[in-house]
């Protein structure tokens, strides 16, 4: 267990909940989720909009007379989007402190920078993983951000945000999963919710002859249960009020975690992993969870 978790800049009283916007319905949902989180935790909300003026320069750079007007138009539209997002956030809580930032940088660049001192960073993706302009930003920030990055999903149903259900953490036994476990315990404690620790184990092995042999499933499950108990002992002592339920299953991590996301209020995964979670932020499992889970997904990078 990391002794410095609560001493990190992300847990300072001054650390804001940061949300990136692009004017889409998905980012509106992210603003709502971030505002609710900031209000519940007594934190400031910072709404960020990146203009990526360098891209505009690349397109209009040869037209010196046109570029200033285009850049000014983008600034005006960006300011209007921020003002609208701030109004949306204040409808959640009229007492909430809301600040806005209009940056000339690429959205991913500014959000990664802000993540170094943020309590957490929030972004939104559309129903069914449809990605608008912010989509590539989501993948970049979840891969390279600091601390906890939360991707909020529009599930396309009436249950847009949840306050019930457990916090679910995907655990693979790697050292990198420690950040996810720590973040999951903190979130479960703050929310007063149960914590479900999900571990996927494989069940086949190629023999020297090339045939596929079944591994002893019960032995695998027993060993996995023991590993979870050992790994979580320190956290359980630190957060005795958090009820932990280990779930060991013979399944692909993607399938298992997606199923749990249907009833969870938050799904937490680490920024790196091994075994079933290998390449979590670079491969198909990560892309699928970030884009297709049925609840907010927190990617925990640690301090």
């Amino acid at each position: 267990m990391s002794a410095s978790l609560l001493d990190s800049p992300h847990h300072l009283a001054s650390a804001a909940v940061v949300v990136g916007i692009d004017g889409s319905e998905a980012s509106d949902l992210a603003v709502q989720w971030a505002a609710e989180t900031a209000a519940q935790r007594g934190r400031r909300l910072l709404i960020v909009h990146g203009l990526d003026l360098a891209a505009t320069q690349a397109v209009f750079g040869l037209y010196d007379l046109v570029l200033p007007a285009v850049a000014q138009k983008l600034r005006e539209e960006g300011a209007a989007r921020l003002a609208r997002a701030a109004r949306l956030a204040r409808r959640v809580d009229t007492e909430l402190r809301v600040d806005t930032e209009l940056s000339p940088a690429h959205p991913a660049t500014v959000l990664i920078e802000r993540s170094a001192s943020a309590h957490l960073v929030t972004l939104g993706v559309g129903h069914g993983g449809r990605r608008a302009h912010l989509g590539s930003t989501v993948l970049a920030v979840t891969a390279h951000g600091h601390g906890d990055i939360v991707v909020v999903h529009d599930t396309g149903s009436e249950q847009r945000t949840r306050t019930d259900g457990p916090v679910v953490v995907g655990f693979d036994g790697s050292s990198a999963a420690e950040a996810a476990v720590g973040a999951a315990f903190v979130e479960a404690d703050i929310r007063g919710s149960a914590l479900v620790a999900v571990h996927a184990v494989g069940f086949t092995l190629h023999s020297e002859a090339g045939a596929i042999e079944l591994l002893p499933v019960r032995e695998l499950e027993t060993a996995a249960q023991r590993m979870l108990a050992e790994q979580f002992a320190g956290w359980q002592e630190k957060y005795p009020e958090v009820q932990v339920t280990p779930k060991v299953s013979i399944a692909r991590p993607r399938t298992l975690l997606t199923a749990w996301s249907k009833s969870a209020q938050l799904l937490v995964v680490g920024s790196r992993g091994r075994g079933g979670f290998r390449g979590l932020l670079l491969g198909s499992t990560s892309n699928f969870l970030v884009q297709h889970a049925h609840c907010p997904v927190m990617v925990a990078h640690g301090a």
Side-chain angles (χ1 to χ4, degrees):
M1 180 178 64
S2 174
S4 62
L5 177 66
L6 297 180
D7 297 327
S8 76
H10 309 295
H11 293 277
L12 295 176
S14 58
V17 173
V18 176
V19 58
I21 68 163
D22 66 352
S24 67
E25 292 184 7
S27 71
D28 286 350
L29 181 61
V31 168
Q32 178 182 335
W33 190 94
E36 291 172 351
T37 300
Q40 292 165 359
R41 302 182 185 187
R43 293 187 177 275
R44 175 174 66 97
L45 177 67
L46 175 61
I47 307 174
V48 175
H49 182 47
L51 297 176
D52 194 11
L53 291 184
T56 304
Q57 173 73 40
V59 174
F60 293 97
L62 297 178
Y63 304 93
D64 292 338
L65 296 179
V66 176
L67 181 59
V70 172
Q72 180 59 28
K73 180 65 173 178
L74 290 176
R75 292 189 185 95
E76 291 172 356
E77 291 178 351
R81 287 177 175 176
L82 285 170
R84 178 179 173 278
R87 291 193 297 271
L88 179 62
R90 291 191 177 98
R91 284 204 291 268
V92 172
D93 186 342
T94 58
E95 301 298 319
L96 179 64
R97 178 183 171 185
V98 180
D99 295 324
T100 61
E101 178 181 359
L102 184 64
S103 172
H106 188 281
T109 299
V110 66
L111 288 171
I112 290 170
E113 290 177 353
R114 297 295 166 268
S115 72
S117 58
H119 177 61
L120 55 82
V121 172
T122 310
L123 305 100
V125 294
H127 173 48
R130 268 198 318 270
R131 295 182 294 166
H133 171 69
L134 201 62
S136 60
T137 299
V138 168
L139 298 180
V141 177
T142 54
H144 303 292
H146 310 278
D148 300 329
I149 313 297
V150 179
V151 180
V152 181
H153 297 257
D154 181 355
T155 62
S157 70
E158 69 282 355
Q159 193 174 21
R160 294 165 68 85
T161 59
R162 298 184 189 135
T163 56
D164 59 348
V167 170
V168 175
V169 58
F171 186 75
D172 67 350
S174 69
S175 58
E178 186 77 0
V181 173
F185 266 95
V186 170
E187 287 295 321
D189 185 61
I190 290 174
R191 296 160 182 263
S193 68
L195 175 60
V196 175
V198 174
H199 180 68
V201 294
F203 60 93
T204 61
L205 179 69
H206 287 274
S207 69
E208 293 181 359
I212 296 178
E213 300 175 348
L214 291 179
L215 291 178
V217 174
R218 288 190 176 181
E219 285 81 350
L220 275 175
E221 292 180 338
T222 299
Q225 293 278 6
R226 187 182 306 113
M227 177 196 68
L228 288 175
E230 293 173 354
Q231 294 288 335
F232 282 38
W235 291 108
Q236 188 75 82
E237 181 178 348
K238 188 174 183 63
Y239 296 98
E241 300 301 318
V242 175
Q243 179 183 350
V244 181
T245 301
K247 292 290 183 178
V248 178
S249 299
I250 308 297
R252 296 175 64 193
R254 170 196 291 191
T255 302
L256 199 55
L257 292 173
T258 301
W260 273 103
S261 76
K262 293 179 181 179
S263 59
Q265 60 176 289
L266 182 70
L267 174 63
V268 185
V269 294
S271 61
R272 288 293 185 272
R274 71 180 184 192
F277 292 94
R278 183 185 296 118
L280 185 60
L281 286 179
L282 300 175
S284 61
T285 299
S286 110
N287 289 345
F288 190 89
L289 290 173
V290 166
Q291 296 178 58
H292 296 285
H294 302 278
C295 71
V297 176
M298 173 179 284
V299 181
H301 293 265

